[in-house]
Amino acid sequence: MERARISARQLFMLAILFEHGSAMVIPLGVDAKQDVWLAILCGMVFGGGLLFVYYRLFTYYPNLPFTSYSQRIVGSFFGKVLALIYVLYFLYISARVLRDFGELLLTFAYPETPLFILNAVMMLTVMYAVYKGIEVIARASQLFFFSLYWILMLGFVLIIIAGEIDVRRLQPILEEGWSHIFHVVFTQTLYVPFGELVVFTMIFPYLQREEKVWKAGFLALLLSGINLAMIMGMNVAVLGADIVSRSTFPLLNTIQEIRVANFLERLDVLFMIALIVGGFFKVGVFFYAGVIGVADLFALKEYQRLVYPLGISVLFLSLAIASNFAEHIKEGLRIVTIYMHVPLQMIIPIFLLLIAMVKHQKKERKGR
Amino acid sequence: MKIKRYPFLIFTLFICTLLFGCWSKKELRDLALIIAVGIDKKDGKYISTFQVVNPGNVAGATQRGGGSTGLPVALYTSTGDTLVEASRKASKQISRIPYYAHTNLVVVGEELAKEGIQQIFDVVERNPQFRPTANIVIARRQTAKQLLSVLTPVDKIPANQMIKTLELTEMMWGENVGTRLREVIESFSLAGKEVIMSSFHVDGNRKHSDDQENVRTMEPTARLRASELAIFKRGKLVGWIGKEEARGVLWILDKIKQTAVTVDWKGEKEALSYKVVRAKTKVTAQLRNGKPIIFVTVETEGDIGETFVAIDFTDPKQIVALEKVMQQEIKAEIEKAVHVAQKKKSDIFGFGEVVHRTYPKEWKKMKKTWDDKYFPKLDIQVKVESFIRRTGLRTRSYIQ
Amino acid sequence: MWLRLRNQNKQQAYQYDKVAQEGIYGTIERDLHANIEKVRNITGNSADIVIRHFLLGKEDNLLSALCFVSGMVDENMVQQLFIEASVQLSFPSMCCDQLDYIEKKIATANTTRRVKQWNDVFSLLMSGESILFIHGMQEAISIAVKGGEYRAITEPSTQLSIRGPREGFTESLATNVAMVRRRIQHPHVWVEAITVGEVTHTNVRIMYIKGIADDSIVEEVRNRLQRICMDGVLESGYIEQLIEDETFTTFPTIYHTERPDSVAANLLEGRVAIFVEGTPFVLIAPAVFIQFFQAVEDYYARFDIATALRFLRILVFFISLVAPSLYIAATTFHQEMIPTSLVIAIAAQRESVPFPAFVEAVIMEVTFEILREAGVRLPRTVGQAVSIVGALVIGQAAVEAGFVSSVMVIVVSITAIASFATPSFAIAVSARLIRFLLMVLAALFGFYGILIGLIWMTIHLCSLRSFGVPYMTPLAPLIPTNLRDTFVRFPLWALTDRPHGIAEETNIVRQGDEQRPKPNQEMRREGDEN
């Protein structure tokens, strides 16, 4: 861990940007068709449960990152193995998000540019930020939080003015019933983006006032859940469920529909800003957690030394994980969800929490 | 000291990426801005026609470097088994990269439309250059190429002329409607909605339509003119609908913004014009005995535009009576439109979708046979409410 | 890496004591002639060192010599001093300590001081005091008759205002300090003196308001100033570069101003001012990013217009930053994002331009920078000629020759005007540098490049600190109370707190309750009656 302090407000904004990150631009939970907003909101509710688990773990060890307290909970050896798994997971996901980001950018704006170059430029930026430390990332998140919100608001207002929203496209509600929605929730929306908050177990200990963690985290979850639901709902209301479910980036198509006063049109740049800023924070937070995790695990004092080698590894990993976009997406939906998200976001934290609770109860009894 | 080296290495790497640079770069000079695409089909091969802007010759742009006598657009034609092939082959004639991001108009020839247009939209959707906001029209009684090879006098770029005409007539008169690519694609996926598109045809003598002569005369010999609406069914053109019926369609689709309705008054034929300034349509569905009934409610507001008979507009009773007549007129238009559509078995009004939204479960059973079984016999209740708000600058006419 | 390079090249340690103080050890001798000889030796018999022998006192019994540097003393006062010393001064018979008597008796100068060490003698002599050597005494008397010609107080040339005081700082340290002192007449305005520069011995003053300024920041400023150890400090820019937090940045982390009212306002906000002898530019620390977009006039004008102008300035900063790169990105990468009619108009103009958009933009921007640089250094009369040539070359001829498109000319002019409208020159310069970087990025990656560039810039800005204060305060970290005076300026009565994070936190409120004007309702005149 580096010596740094961030405020609850910064945590809140960082978490929001992180949640919006790629979730805003990808077709999130579109298997639920026109009920996608409902699937996201449900995902948020269950995500709140997961966040509570992470928060409880944090309250037992308020000064330690996940990689340290896992060793306290299940013993040094198993804890280290667990920490290693998590660190690799964080780095792998940051590579995945980087790949996502590069693919999206490539398809829609830079078809002739090699993926490596786009990813490298992004990764360099992320590395620079991580090199500067969590305080700088947190501060930057405050600046970008407002710019992103302004842009979202602007886009929203413009779409309403352009008269493209047809609420009837959101009907009929619950056509396939609740079971279908829950199926989507537990295979997709719960893990991305809400369960991914597990990465913040590495960041919570930087908080100046630990009692505010829950409030900041929960509000961030709530707000981003509502926002994402609104964004996806808006996509459906503008484009129709079918186009949204077939689109690579529904938000782009929605923004392309904007046409106000024969002048405010072709505002793809709004989408690009959202994509790049969001992608930056998502990759950044995962990568930071990975770097700090490694530094913590091997007790390195200067984590900065790791930024360079790990950054290059993540960059090459992002290119190597799949040979084409379809494979990449398939991996994301099947393998990563079942073998990574489910155990690492849900099962292991819950087990750790249970063990920690038992341990602490014993301690308390002894104390008496 | 070691840490100090990282920024330097990052910097080096950064410079390396810079050195490779400039992949997706395209200079404006190297682009052929395709403003309209025409698609026909002949002998199983697609014929694409590209209307390319010649920026130096568009009025309004500074006329530097000579060549001001040239035409604002140029036309290229190319054939291929697929549209991508045709587009790539066009490079044999065009010196610049075809660029579709400013393609605001897609014209489909009538022959191709009858054969089916479903195939041609995949490329449009897949290619990030194409904008989903582009308009699509059908070339009536002509090929797309013939329609695109007409020079226009006021708006120098013919594609713009067509788009603007369409927008204007949709707003002022309401017998034509602009259809965006996205709406067409959306209709393919919906079982309970078919698409309509406006058509254009060339009026007058087509012989010198692509000659500068055409725009040198006060009344061009060849003119572009919006004509009937094309009715589609599962991607195939099945019929045309025009005049009042066409307006009836737009009433139901809630696309009427302004229009003028002419009615008879006390035995006088076509005696009075009602200018509609606001209109709102609601379509709802109900299920009675397992059979869907559609309710169409139209509300209009407007002024008196013109009268040929003596009416005292200061009398509220007269106004109410007039409103009744208006309502009947509009209702008749709508019913005619419904009749035509039912005959073609094409649910251009999206009634099926209304049923889908209100009765999702029942819809699943109806979905398959909606077009053939339910829609042609659908019971449609039309209710119109018209209001005359003002009568213009005079109360009574000088006509006695 | 830099350090290592420097260490390799460094073969010699800094020998300031050898360079500057060789042979000035020891104390004054009894023999006047020996003393004078020493002065002559050490100063190399410089032409501007005046040594005047005379007999001290009415009784003419003491042989003395007065040394001073001509031009650095007040000639009138020296004249007075001679009259006093040689004509009026008389010794009472039973005086015990003659030197003490003389020191107290000389009334012309503000201060007199007895000096014994040669070291002190020379530093006082060089700072403009007169040294009185008396034969037979082992001490000399230093008499403060500092003076000489300075530039008069004039209107500041860089930070003009429509409303507000017209006086600007001059090169005189004492005048500058007094100008601020006159504005804040409170004993807690503390001024500390530090001498910087081993050869130049430049006088530096640290000014702050005790109790409002944060002590740790004052301490930090003091420490950093004391660290400076080099030959010369000729302008406050030297000091700025030696005490700023980060060298490798284009953004200024210390504010400088020519206006005494600006310094006073900043002191009242808890900042520290650093005055340097010989320059009208006063440094103010700590500085935050947003400060460079605020002008003193914002507080003199009413809040509504001040707010509008602040928004304008920030907008202008962004325009001057990204306008050319946006043009490059839009015309070479993202033609789809320009409305159709506009793209046709631009395409028509670019048709005959032989260069790619990037080259075109670089040519125009560089030409403009050359013109500006030429204009700044030229005498005013020739400056006009430059502007005429510039207008013709950049504007008309280039377009007519088909070298550049007229859209590009518009873009360049907007950028130029925008960079002039930025209130602080320091920040406008940094925008100028970043602009070229963004242009390169835009030429490589279009909007992606611009956005990445801006993200880099933001991270960099967030990582900067000025004397411990994060540079992006109060935006990041967000301090809501400070936002009242950041992008917007609330009415004065609503600005209840001094800036958090800069001023002393235990004493943050700066005005009484209920400062909002409450016109007396009884005072209303009924105009309708007439």
Side-chain angles (χ1 to χ4, degrees), chain A residues 110 118 125 128 139 142 266, chain C residues 445 448 456 462 465 476-477:
Chain A
Y110 299 94
L118 291 179
T125 318
Y128 177 60
R139 272 186 232 144
Q142 285 184 313
R266 300 170 180 266
Chain C
F445 302 109
Y448 177 50
W456 270 76
C462 287
R465 279 171 186 274

Side-chain angles (χ1 to χ4, degrees), chain A residues 96 325-336:
Chain A
R96 277 198 67 82
F325 193 51
E327 188 187 326
H328 177 66
I329 291 292
K330 198 82 183 168
E331 272 175 12
L333 283 178
R334 290 287 142 76
I335 300 164
V336 175

Side-chain angles (χ1 to χ4, degrees), chain A residues 9-10 101 105 110 117-118 121-122 125 128-129 132 135-136 139-140 142-144 266 268-269 272 276 280, chain C residues 334 336-340 445 447-448 451-452 455-456 458-460 462-463 465 472 475-478 480:
Chain A
R9 198 184 272 125
Q10 286 174 332
F101 164 84
L105 207 57
Y110 299 94
I117 298 298
L118 291 179
V121 171
M122 186 60 165
T125 318
Y128 177 60
K132 291 281 185 187
E135 279 188 358
V136 171
R139 272 186 232 144
Q142 285 184 313
L143 290 178
F144 282 113
R266 300 170 180 266
D268 304 17
V269 69
M272 239 173 124
I276 293 170
F280 167 75
Chain C
H334 308 283
E336 76 270 15
M337 295 187 195
I338 316 173
T340 307
F445 302 109
F447 280 144
Y448 177 50
L451 280 170
I452 287 290
I455 291 179
W456 270 76
T458 314
I459 296 168
H460 179 68
C462 287
S463 72
R465 279 171 186 274
M472 293 310 277
L475 301 170
L478 190 73

